[in-house]
Amino acid sequence: AWARAAERAGLRVRGQKGERFVPYTTRHTAATQATRNGVTDRRLADIMGHTTTKMVARYQHLATEDLVAAIDDATRKPRLP
């Protein structure tokens, strides 16, 4: 069922080799997206069922743009009231 769903979604073409897409792959996507949305590593570890944040790093696949945005956020001057 998963293979058929992946084919229908255009993530996999029958008979072609390529990156393997399995249900577990969605954990990587979810962790990356949660990080982009501002979820802290500690909360993400709790959500994913890990006792430490070290494992969370294995699931996060941030692009250069994500890191640049984080630096911009960290160095942005606070707004005055």
Side-chain angles (χ1 to χ4, degrees):
W2 182 259
R4 286 191 306 275
E7 286 175 23
R8 283 194 303 267
L11 301 172
R12 183 177 177 175
V13 177
R14 187 182 300 257
Q16 286 188 354
K17 292 190 178 204
E19 186 175 348
R20 196 166 155 228
F21 186 80
V22 295
Y24 197 73
T25 304
T26 59
R27 283 179 67 85
H28 294 263
T29 303
T32 301
Q33 194 59 45
T35 301
R36 287 179 178 151
N37 289 336
V39 176
T40 66
D41 286 356
R42 178 67 258 156
R43 286 194 182 214
L44 191 52
D46 290 340
I47 291 167
M48 296 177 76
H50 297 296
T51 56
T52 69
T53 58
K54 189 174 182 177
M55 282 301 294
V56 171
R58 299 180 111 195
Y59 290 94
Q60 296 165 319
H61 302 284
L62 301 175
T64 301
E65 296 81 24
D66 297 313
L67 303 177
V68 169
I71 291 169
D72 289 345
D73 289 345
T75 58
R76 184 175 298 125
K77 290 182 181 178
R79 293 183 189 174
L80 298 176

